[in-house]
Amino acid sequence: MNAHNIIHKLGGHLFISRAGASGFLSDKDSLLIMMPHGIRNGANKIMIHHEPSGTYTVDFKHTSLRTRTTSLVSSYPSVDGDQLKQIFSEELS
């Protein structure tokens, strides 16, 4: 699963503009989305990992530049691809 497929499942360019994503990093199984400002739940980084089972784990994290620490804000394990959009809608609104 590549980053383009994950972004497509989230809604493509519409998702990117609605979320205000400022950067992306990916490897063969994961996508890290960086947000310029924390979203409603305080997260400024979102990690989506494609599991071997075909589901996704979505972690919303907050990284403090002042203290250089990262904390987990919320996590969604075993998410089906068709549920990704719903999770982001809930977390971003």
Side-chain angles (χ1 to χ4, degrees), residues 3-15:
H4 294 289
N5 290 341
I6 295 172
I7 291 172
H8 178 74
K9 287 181 183 288
L10 292 170
H13 293 290
L14 181 61
F15 162 76

Side-chain angles (χ1 to χ4, degrees), residues 45-87:
K45 290 188 174 44
I46 305 164
M47 174 64 81
I48 304 169
H49 181 74
H50 187 245
E51 303 293 342
S53 63
T55 61
Y56 297 87
T57 297
V58 182
D59 293 330
F60 290 85
K61 299 179 179 186
H62 176 78
T63 299
S64 171
L65 296 176
R66 185 175 49 86
T67 61
R68 296 186 179 140
T69 58
T70 299
S71 57
L72 183 64
V73 175
S74 60
S75 183
Y76 296 86
S78 301
V79 175
D80 288 326
D82 58 347
Q83 295 174 314
L84 286 173
K85 215 173 187 179
Q86 178 184 352
I87 289 171

